[in-house]
Amino acid sequence: MAENAAPGLISELKLAVPWGHIAAKAWGSLQGPPVLCLHGWLDNANSFDRLIPLLLPDFYYVAMDFGGHGLSSHYSPGVPYNLQTFVSEIRRVVAALKWNRFSILGHSFGGIVGATFSCTFPEMVDKLTLLDTLLFPLESNEMENLLTYKRRAIEHMLQIEASQEPSHVFSLKQLLQRLLKSNSHLSEECGELLLQRGTKKVATGLVLNRDQRLSWPENSADYVSRELCAHSIRKLQAHVLFIKAVHGYFESRDNYSEEESVSFMIDMMKSTLKEVRRGSGSWCPATVAHSGPTSPISSLALGRHLVWPQAQQVTTRIYQASCSSGQSLEAWGHM
């Protein structure tokens, strides 16, 4: 499928790694402060096509496809996908770009990867913006399932490697119908945008680009204790902006423990970071919602997506955080 150029896009990148390449796309000014944009589980760099053109052009934005996603190479046979390998991809990408210090804009699973990198390499990350994501998945919420996830990940990888079945071929209409059925708030326009980078043409139709070894995000996540979570947050040197979406990840999971995890992490950041900025309204992370054509970010994997109501207001919030200095947590009430 031919990919339409996103507004303001200046280049497509292909960065060499030992198993092939990491694909990425860049917007903005090469001389501007660098921002690395990280997509969600089973998404791709097109997740940011509708958002980045609304942000200030003075920054240099690079949206990468994680390994096995979008246009990036699949991992070598026998190599599993896990959080640490995705974190190492960030280190490889910024080394190739010769970035010593940069900001991260992470959506969903990309936010978890970005937060983990920010705590592991705190001196490298200036600003951390989290779009509808936890910093870390907590093991206390999944203790009964942890071994099941580990077993399932191994069995799934072995099953895919042993399978001789060719990739399934679909029409664009079939793929779009499947996508919209599992993502009730996703517009057709945004679905097509993700499929542009998430599929490739074959003689009889389209096949998905992603590595079939990628399955459920739980299989690739690293669940941490509250003690390790608190220790990691104390390592942060970045200014942090946390945006929570209506009809997003947390509202799609009817689980008190998820909300309790968010509260724990917010409280931990409030008590740890040097400055807390608050806007009008009662305390909560920034909350936004919309289902119209300006939707910039979508997630294929979990039947949810992140979309903005007043896009300019949200991008202004990101801009304000990007211009702040020091270590702080930016938060405000419902929009």
Side-chain angles (χ1 to χ4, degrees):
M1 181 185 303
E3 184 172 357
N4 299 323
L9 184 69
I10 60 174
S11 63
E12 285 277 351
L13 307 176
K14 186 179 285 188
L15 307 172
V17 291
W19 61 91
H21 69 270
I22 293 293
K25 52 199 304 184
W27 293 259
S29 169
L30 283 166
Q31 289 71 43
V35 181
L36 186 65
C37 305
L38 306 174
H39 63 78
W41 187 252
L42 302 188
D43 287 353
N44 56 62
N46 276 15
S47 294
F48 296 95
D49 277 14
R50 303 293 298 278
L51 175 62
I52 290 177
L54 301 175
L55 300 175
L56 285 181
D58 303 331
F59 292 80
Y60 183 47
Y61 306 93
V62 173
M64 60 180 279
D65 291 325
F66 284 122
H69 296 73
L71 302 180
S72 288
S73 299
H74 297 182
Y75 284 4
S76 301
V79 178
Y81 292 89
N82 56 51
L83 182 62
Q84 184 168 328
T85 59
F86 290 130
V87 170
S88 70
E89 285 184 31
I90 296 179
R91 190 65 183 85
R92 292 180 187 276
V93 165
V94 298
L97 295 171
K98 296 181 170 56
W99 292 357
N100 294 319
R101 191 165 175 83
F102 60 99
S103 297
I104 289 177
L105 175 62
H107 170 231
S108 191
F109 188 79
I112 294 175
V113 179
T116 304
F117 181 92
S118 300
C119 296
T120 307
F121 298 93
E123 74 284 357
M124 298 188 70
V125 182
D126 184 36
K127 311 285 194 308
L128 174 63
T129 299
L130 302 172
L131 305 179
D132 208 36
T133 182
L134 292 167
L135 274 82
F136 310 102
L138 297 180
E139 66 178 17
S140 57
N141 296 347
E142 297 283 359
M143 189 63 70
E144 294 183 357
N145 300 319
L146 291 180
L147 292 178
T148 299
Y149 294 156
K150 293 178 184 296
R151 173 174 177 158
R152 190 170 66 182
I154 294 170
E155 290 181 339
H156 178 74
M157 184 175 70
L158 295 176
Q159 179 184 3
I160 293 298
E161 290 177 350
S163 174
Q164 300 299 316
E165 293 184 12
S167 299
H168 294 288
V169 180
F170 303 93
S171 67
L172 174 59
K173 182 178 180 180
Q174 287 173 323
L175 282 174
L176 196 55
Q177 286 177 341
R178 286 161 56 99
L179 182 58
L180 297 180
K181 183 178 180 180
S182 59
N183 295 267
S184 59
H185 294 90
L186 185 63
S187 71
E188 184 172 322
E189 181 183 0
C190 289
E192 289 183 351
L193 188 63
L194 287 172
L195 290 174
Q196 284 176 3
R197 199 173 180 92
T199 60
K200 64 180 178 182
K201 278 187 176 181
V202 295
T204 55
L206 299 171
V207 296
L208 293 170
N209 283 343
R210 68 175 178 86
D211 194 329
Q212 295 302 307
R213 289 175 293 176
L214 293 164
S215 53
W216 302 273
E218 308 92 87
N219 292 359
S220 295
D222 283 351
Y223 292 85
V224 304
S225 65
R226 287 175 178 249
E227 291 76 15
L228 180 55
C229 177
H231 174 75
S232 299
I233 290 173
R234 284 192 288 269
K235 292 292 185 181
L236 278 172
Q237 296 180 19
H239 182 98
V240 180
L241 170 64
F242 174 58
I243 298 176
K244 178 184 176 186
V246 171
H247 307 305
Y249 172 80
F250 303 103
E251 293 196 10
S252 70
R253 295 166 68 92
D254 186 18
N255 190 337
Y256 169 79
S257 63
E258 294 288 350
E259 289 293 341
E260 199 270 339
S261 295
V262 174
S263 297
F264 168 76
M265 293 183 193
I266 292 291
D267 290 343
M268 189 65 213
M269 286 192 288
K270 286 172 63 178
S271 66
T272 301
L273 303 181
K274 295 177 182 177
E275 176 187 358
V276 177
R277 296 171 178 259
R278 300 187 63 166
S280 60
S282 59
W283 161 257
C284 71
T287 306
V288 294
H290 182 56
S291 57
T294 59
S295 309
I297 294 185
S298 303
S299 173
L300 285 70
L302 297 178
R304 57 187 167 76
H305 66 296
L306 182 67
V307 291
W308 307 122
Q310 303 90 6
Q312 194 57 53
Q313 289 186 31
V314 176
T315 53
T316 298
R317 302 284 191 167
I318 295 177
Y319 163 71
Q320 291 170 342
S322 70
C323 293
S324 301
S325 60
Q327 182 192 37
S328 66
L329 173 67
E330 184 90 16
W332 45 78
H334 288 271
M335 296 181 64

Short mmCIF file of all heavy atoms in Angstrom, two decimals, residues 1-3 42-44 46 65 68-72 74 168-176 178-179 191-202 205-210 212 300:
data_model
loop_
_atom_site.label_atom_id
_atom_site.label_comp_id
_atom_site.label_asym_id
_atom_site.label_seq_id
_atom_site.Cartn_x
_atom_site.Cartn_y
_atom_site.Cartn_z
N MET A 1 0.85 -1.19 0.00
CA MET A 1 0.00 0.00 0.00
C MET A 1 0.89 1.23 0.00
O MET A 1 1.76 1.37 0.85
CB MET A 1 -0.88 0.01 1.26
CG MET A 1 -1.83 1.21 1.35
SD MET A 1 -2.69 1.20 2.93
CE MET A 1 -3.46 -0.40 2.87
N ALA A 2 0.69 2.15 -0.91
CA ALA A 2 1.50 3.36 -0.94
C ALA A 2 1.16 4.22 0.25
O ALA A 2 0.01 4.43 0.60
CB ALA A 2 1.22 4.11 -2.24
N GLU A 3 2.20 4.77 0.87
CA GLU A 3 1.98 5.56 2.07
C GLU A 3 1.92 7.03 1.71
O GLU A 3 2.79 7.56 1.02
CB GLU A 3 3.11 5.33 3.06
CG GLU A 3 2.90 6.06 4.36
CD GLU A 3 3.94 5.66 5.39
OE1 GLU A 3 4.76 4.80 5.09
OE2 GLU A 3 3.91 6.24 6.48
N LEU A 42 1.58 -3.23 18.87
CA LEU A 42 1.10 -3.61 17.54
C LEU A 42 0.72 -2.42 16.67
O LEU A 42 0.13 -2.60 15.61
CB LEU A 42 -0.07 -4.60 17.62
CG LEU A 42 0.19 -5.92 18.36
CD1 LEU A 42 -0.99 -6.85 18.17
CD2 LEU A 42 1.48 -6.59 17.91
N ASP A 43 1.05 -1.21 17.10
CA ASP A 43 0.85 -0.02 16.27
C ASP A 43 2.11 0.24 15.46
O ASP A 43 2.96 -0.64 15.31
CB ASP A 43 0.52 1.18 17.16
CG ASP A 43 -0.88 1.12 17.75
OD1 ASP A 43 -1.64 0.23 17.37
OD2 ASP A 43 -1.19 1.97 18.60
N ASN A 44 2.28 1.44 14.98
CA ASN A 44 3.47 1.81 14.23
C ASN A 44 3.64 3.33 14.27
O ASN A 44 2.83 4.04 14.88
CB ASN A 44 3.41 1.28 12.80
CG ASN A 44 2.17 1.73 12.05
OD1 ASN A 44 1.96 2.92 11.84
ND2 ASN A 44 1.32 0.76 11.66
N ASN A 46 3.02 5.62 12.29
CA ASN A 46 1.91 6.43 11.78
C ASN A 46 0.95 6.86 12.88
O ASN A 46 0.09 7.71 12.64
CB ASN A 46 1.14 5.66 10.70
CG ASN A 46 1.78 5.79 9.33
OD1 ASN A 46 2.93 6.20 9.22
ND2 ASN A 46 1.05 5.42 8.29
N ASP A 65 9.49 2.80 14.47
CA ASP A 65 8.75 1.54 14.54
C ASP A 65 9.57 0.59 15.41
O ASP A 65 10.73 0.31 15.09
CB ASP A 65 8.60 0.90 13.16
CG ASP A 65 7.69 1.68 12.22
OD1 ASP A 65 6.71 2.25 12.69
OD2 ASP A 65 7.99 1.70 11.01
N GLY A 68 9.83 -5.60 14.71
CA GLY A 68 8.67 -6.45 14.49
C GLY A 68 7.39 -5.70 14.22
O GLY A 68 6.34 -6.31 14.01
N HIS A 69 7.44 -4.37 14.21
CA HIS A 69 6.29 -3.51 13.96
C HIS A 69 6.54 -2.66 12.73
O HIS A 69 7.69 -2.34 12.40
CB HIS A 69 6.02 -2.58 15.14
CG HIS A 69 5.64 -3.25 16.42
ND1 HIS A 69 6.54 -3.94 17.20
CD2 HIS A 69 4.44 -3.31 17.07
CE1 HIS A 69 5.91 -4.40 18.27
NE2 HIS A 69 4.64 -4.04 18.22
N GLY A 70 5.47 -2.23 12.07
CA GLY A 70 5.59 -1.29 10.98
C GLY A 70 6.57 -1.74 9.92
O GLY A 70 6.50 -2.86 9.42
N LEU A 71 7.53 -0.87 9.60
CA LEU A 71 8.50 -1.15 8.56
C LEU A 71 9.84 -1.62 9.10
O LEU A 71 10.80 -1.77 8.34
CB LEU A 71 8.71 0.11 7.69
CG LEU A 71 7.45 0.68 7.01
CD1 LEU A 71 7.80 1.91 6.18
CD2 LEU A 71 6.76 -0.37 6.16
N SER A 72 9.93 -1.85 10.42
CA SER A 72 11.18 -2.32 11.02
C SER A 72 11.35 -3.82 10.82
O SER A 72 10.38 -4.56 10.68
CB SER A 72 11.22 -2.00 12.52
OG SER A 72 11.41 -0.62 12.74
N HIS A 74 12.04 -7.74 11.57
CA HIS A 74 11.67 -8.68 12.62
C HIS A 74 12.94 -9.16 13.31
O HIS A 74 14.02 -9.20 12.71
CB HIS A 74 10.92 -9.87 12.04
CG HIS A 74 9.61 -9.50 11.40
ND1 HIS A 74 8.77 -10.43 10.85
CD2 HIS A 74 9.00 -8.30 11.23
CE1 HIS A 74 7.69 -9.83 10.37
NE2 HIS A 74 7.82 -8.53 10.58
N HIS A 168 -1.64 -14.78 6.23
CA HIS A 168 -3.00 -14.59 5.73
C HIS A 168 -3.07 -13.35 4.85
O HIS A 168 -2.47 -12.31 5.17
CB HIS A 168 -3.97 -14.46 6.90
CG HIS A 168 -4.11 -15.70 7.72
ND1 HIS A 168 -4.77 -16.82 7.26
CD2 HIS A 168 -3.66 -16.01 8.96
CE1 HIS A 168 -4.73 -17.77 8.19
NE2 HIS A 168 -4.05 -17.30 9.23
N VAL A 169 -3.79 -13.46 3.75
CA VAL A 169 -3.95 -12.36 2.82
C VAL A 169 -5.36 -11.78 2.98
O VAL A 169 -6.34 -12.52 3.03
CB VAL A 169 -3.71 -12.81 1.36
CG1 VAL A 169 -3.89 -11.64 0.40
CG2 VAL A 169 -2.32 -13.41 1.22
N PHE A 170 -5.44 -10.45 3.04
CA PHE A 170 -6.72 -9.77 3.23
C PHE A 170 -6.86 -8.68 2.18
O PHE A 170 -5.88 -8.21 1.60
CB PHE A 170 -6.80 -9.11 4.61
CG PHE A 170 -6.60 -10.05 5.77
CD1 PHE A 170 -5.33 -10.23 6.32
CD2 PHE A 170 -7.66 -10.72 6.34
CE1 PHE A 170 -5.13 -11.07 7.40
CE2 PHE A 170 -7.48 -11.57 7.42
CZ PHE A 170 -6.21 -11.75 7.95
N SER A 171 -8.09 -8.23 2.01
CA SER A 171 -8.32 -6.99 1.29
C SER A 171 -8.26 -5.85 2.29
O SER A 171 -8.37 -6.07 3.51
CB SER A 171 -9.69 -7.01 0.60
OG SER A 171 -10.73 -6.99 1.58
N LEU A 172 -8.09 -4.63 1.81
CA LEU A 172 -8.08 -3.48 2.70
C LEU A 172 -9.40 -3.39 3.46
O LEU A 172 -9.44 -3.11 4.66
CB LEU A 172 -7.84 -2.19 1.92
CG LEU A 172 -7.96 -0.89 2.72
CD1 LEU A 172 -6.97 -0.86 3.87
CD2 LEU A 172 -7.76 0.32 1.80
N LYS A 173 -10.51 -3.67 2.77
CA LYS A 173 -11.82 -3.61 3.41
C LYS A 173 -11.92 -4.62 4.55
O LYS A 173 -12.44 -4.30 5.63
CB LYS A 173 -12.91 -3.87 2.38
CG LYS A 173 -14.32 -3.78 2.93
CD LYS A 173 -15.37 -4.00 1.85
CE LYS A 173 -16.78 -3.90 2.42
NZ LYS A 173 -17.81 -4.12 1.37
N GLN A 174 -11.42 -5.83 4.34
CA GLN A 174 -11.46 -6.85 5.39
C GLN A 174 -10.64 -6.43 6.60
O GLN A 174 -11.09 -6.56 7.75
CB GLN A 174 -10.94 -8.18 4.84
CG GLN A 174 -11.86 -8.89 3.88
CD GLN A 174 -11.21 -10.11 3.26
OE1 GLN A 174 -10.01 -10.12 2.95
NE2 GLN A 174 -12.00 -11.17 3.07
N LEU A 175 -9.43 -5.92 6.37
CA LEU A 175 -8.57 -5.50 7.48
C LEU A 175 -9.19 -4.34 8.23
O LEU A 175 -9.15 -4.29 9.46
CB LEU A 175 -7.19 -5.12 6.96
CG LEU A 175 -6.24 -6.26 6.62
CD1 LEU A 175 -4.97 -5.74 5.99
CD2 LEU A 175 -5.91 -7.09 7.87
N LEU A 176 -9.76 -3.41 7.49
CA LEU A 176 -10.35 -2.25 8.13
C LEU A 176 -11.57 -2.65 8.96
O LEU A 176 -11.77 -2.15 10.08
CB LEU A 176 -10.74 -1.23 7.06
CG LEU A 176 -11.02 0.20 7.55
CD1 LEU A 176 -9.84 0.76 8.33
CD2 LEU A 176 -11.34 1.09 6.35
N ARG A 178 -12.07 -5.57 10.42
CA ARG A 178 -11.55 -6.24 11.62
C ARG A 178 -11.06 -5.23 12.64
O ARG A 178 -11.30 -5.36 13.84
CB ARG A 178 -10.41 -7.18 11.23
CG ARG A 178 -10.83 -8.46 10.54
CD ARG A 178 -9.67 -9.10 9.80
NE ARG A 178 -8.53 -9.35 10.66
CZ ARG A 178 -8.23 -10.53 11.20
NH1 ARG A 178 -9.00 -11.57 10.96
NH2 ARG A 178 -7.16 -10.69 11.96
N LEU A 179 -10.36 -4.22 12.14
CA LEU A 179 -9.80 -3.19 13.01
C LEU A 179 -10.88 -2.37 13.69
O LEU A 179 -10.86 -2.16 14.90
CB LEU A 179 -8.88 -2.29 12.19
CG LEU A 179 -8.14 -1.16 12.91
CD1 LEU A 179 -7.28 -1.71 14.03
CD2 LEU A 179 -7.28 -0.40 11.91
N GLY A 191 -7.95 4.38 11.01
CA GLY A 191 -7.64 2.97 10.78
C GLY A 191 -6.83 2.78 9.51
O GLY A 191 -5.85 2.02 9.49
N GLU A 192 -7.23 3.47 8.45
CA GLU A 192 -6.48 3.38 7.20
C GLU A 192 -5.06 3.91 7.37
O GLU A 192 -4.11 3.38 6.76
CB GLU A 192 -7.20 4.15 6.10
CG GLU A 192 -8.48 3.49 5.63
CD GLU A 192 -9.13 4.25 4.49
OE1 GLU A 192 -8.66 5.37 4.18
OE2 GLU A 192 -10.10 3.73 3.91
N LEU A 193 -4.91 4.94 8.19
CA LEU A 193 -3.59 5.52 8.42
C LEU A 193 -2.64 4.50 9.04
O LEU A 193 -1.48 4.35 8.62
CB LEU A 193 -3.72 6.74 9.33
CG LEU A 193 -2.49 7.61 9.55
CD1 LEU A 193 -2.03 8.23 8.24
CD2 LEU A 193 -2.79 8.69 10.57
N LEU A 194 -3.10 3.75 10.03
CA LEU A 194 -2.26 2.75 10.66
C LEU A 194 -1.98 1.58 9.72
O LEU A 194 -0.88 1.02 9.70
CB LEU A 194 -2.93 2.24 11.93
CG LEU A 194 -2.91 3.22 13.11
CD1 LEU A 194 -3.77 2.68 14.25
CD2 LEU A 194 -1.50 3.48 13.59
N LEU A 195 -2.97 1.21 8.92
CA LEU A 195 -2.78 0.09 7.99
C LEU A 195 -1.83 0.44 6.86
O LEU A 195 -1.21 -0.44 6.27
CB LEU A 195 -4.13 -0.35 7.43
CG LEU A 195 -5.07 -1.04 8.43
CD1 LEU A 195 -6.43 -1.30 7.79
CD2 LEU A 195 -4.46 -2.34 8.96
N GLN A 196 -1.69 1.73 6.55
CA GLN A 196 -0.74 2.13 5.51
C GLN A 196 0.66 1.64 5.83
O GLN A 196 1.39 1.17 4.96
CB GLN A 196 -0.72 3.66 5.37
CG GLN A 196 -1.90 4.24 4.64
CD GLN A 196 -1.86 5.76 4.63
OE1 GLN A 196 -0.91 6.37 5.13
NE2 GLN A 196 -2.89 6.37 4.08
N ARG A 197 1.05 1.76 7.09
CA ARG A 197 2.40 1.38 7.49
C ARG A 197 2.43 -0.04 8.07
O ARG A 197 3.50 -0.62 8.21
CB ARG A 197 2.94 2.37 8.52
CG ARG A 197 4.46 2.36 8.67
CD ARG A 197 4.92 3.50 9.58
NE ARG A 197 6.36 3.53 9.75
CZ ARG A 197 7.19 4.24 9.00
NH1 ARG A 197 6.71 4.96 8.00
NH2 ARG A 197 8.49 4.23 9.23
N GLY A 198 1.27 -0.56 8.38
CA GLY A 198 1.20 -1.86 9.03
C GLY A 198 0.94 -3.02 8.10
O GLY A 198 0.76 -4.15 8.56
N THR A 199 0.90 -2.76 6.79
CA THR A 199 0.64 -3.83 5.82
C THR A 199 1.59 -3.69 4.63
O THR A 199 2.22 -2.66 4.43
CB THR A 199 -0.81 -3.76 5.29
OG1 THR A 199 -1.02 -2.49 4.66
CG2 THR A 199 -1.81 -3.97 6.40
N LYS A 200 1.69 -4.75 3.88
CA LYS A 200 2.42 -4.69 2.61
C LYS A 200 1.62 -5.41 1.53
O LYS A 200 0.84 -6.34 1.81
CB LYS A 200 3.81 -5.32 2.75
CG LYS A 200 3.82 -6.80 3.06
CD LYS A 200 5.24 -7.32 3.18
CE LYS A 200 5.27 -8.81 3.55
NZ LYS A 200 6.66 -9.30 3.71
N LYS A 201 1.81 -4.97 0.29
CA LYS A 201 1.07 -5.55 -0.83
C LYS A 201 1.70 -6.86 -1.27
O LYS A 201 2.92 -7.00 -1.32
CB LYS A 201 1.07 -4.57 -2.00
CG LYS A 201 0.01 -3.49 -1.92
CD LYS A 201 -0.01 -2.70 -3.22
CE LYS A 201 -1.14 -1.68 -3.21
NZ LYS A 201 -1.18 -0.90 -4.48
N VAL A 202 0.84 -7.81 -1.56
CA VAL A 202 1.25 -9.04 -2.26
C VAL A 202 0.35 -9.18 -3.47
O VAL A 202 -0.55 -8.36 -3.69
CB VAL A 202 1.15 -10.27 -1.33
CG1 VAL A 202 2.14 -10.16 -0.18
CG2 VAL A 202 -0.27 -10.44 -0.79
N GLY A 205 -3.47 -9.31 -2.50
CA GLY A 205 -4.05 -8.43 -1.50
C GLY A 205 -3.01 -7.84 -0.57
O GLY A 205 -1.94 -7.41 -1.01
N LEU A 206 -3.32 -7.85 0.74
CA LEU A 206 -2.45 -7.26 1.74
C LEU A 206 -2.15 -8.27 2.84
O LEU A 206 -3.01 -9.07 3.20
CB LEU A 206 -3.10 -6.02 2.37
CG LEU A 206 -3.43 -4.84 1.46
CD1 LEU A 206 -4.27 -3.82 2.22
CD2 LEU A 206 -2.16 -4.19 0.93
N VAL A 207 -0.94 -8.22 3.37
CA VAL A 207 -0.59 -9.00 4.56
C VAL A 207 -0.09 -8.04 5.63
O VAL A 207 0.46 -6.98 5.32
CB VAL A 207 0.48 -10.07 4.26
CG1 VAL A 207 -0.05 -11.10 3.27
CG2 VAL A 207 1.77 -9.44 3.74
N LEU A 208 -0.28 -8.42 6.88
CA LEU A 208 0.20 -7.59 7.99
C LEU A 208 1.72 -7.66 8.08
O LEU A 208 2.31 -8.72 7.93
CB LEU A 208 -0.43 -8.04 9.30
CG LEU A 208 -1.95 -7.81 9.43
CD1 LEU A 208 -2.49 -8.53 10.66
CD2 LEU A 208 -2.26 -6.31 9.51
N ASN A 209 2.33 -6.50 8.36
CA ASN A 209 3.79 -6.44 8.49
C ASN A 209 4.31 -7.06 9.77
O ASN A 209 5.43 -7.55 9.82
CB ASN A 209 4.26 -4.97 8.48
CG ASN A 209 4.26 -4.38 7.10
OD1 ASN A 209 4.20 -5.09 6.11
ND2 ASN A 209 4.30 -3.05 7.04
N ARG A 210 3.53 -6.97 10.81
CA ARG A 210 4.07 -7.27 12.14
C ARG A 210 4.51 -8.72 12.26
O ARG A 210 3.97 -9.62 11.61
CB ARG A 210 3.03 -6.95 13.21
CG ARG A 210 1.80 -7.84 13.22
CD ARG A 210 0.91 -7.50 14.40
NE ARG A 210 -0.31 -8.28 14.43
CZ ARG A 210 -0.42 -9.48 14.98
NH1 ARG A 210 0.65 -10.05 15.52
NH2 ARG A 210 -1.57 -10.12 14.98
N GLN A 212 4.58 -12.24 13.61
CA GLN A 212 3.53 -13.07 14.22
C GLN A 212 3.90 -13.57 15.61
O GLN A 212 3.04 -14.04 16.35
CB GLN A 212 3.21 -14.25 13.30
CG GLN A 212 2.61 -13.85 11.96
CD GLN A 212 1.32 -13.06 12.12
OE1 GLN A 212 0.39 -13.50 12.80
NE2 GLN A 212 1.25 -11.89 11.51
N LEU A 300 -4.29 -0.47 17.90
CA LEU A 300 -4.98 -1.61 17.31
C LEU A 300 -5.17 -2.74 18.29
O LEU A 300 -6.06 -3.55 18.16
CB LEU A 300 -4.17 -2.16 16.12
CG LEU A 300 -4.17 -1.40 14.80
CD1 LEU A 300 -3.41 -0.10 14.89
CD2 LEU A 300 -3.59 -2.28 13.70
#
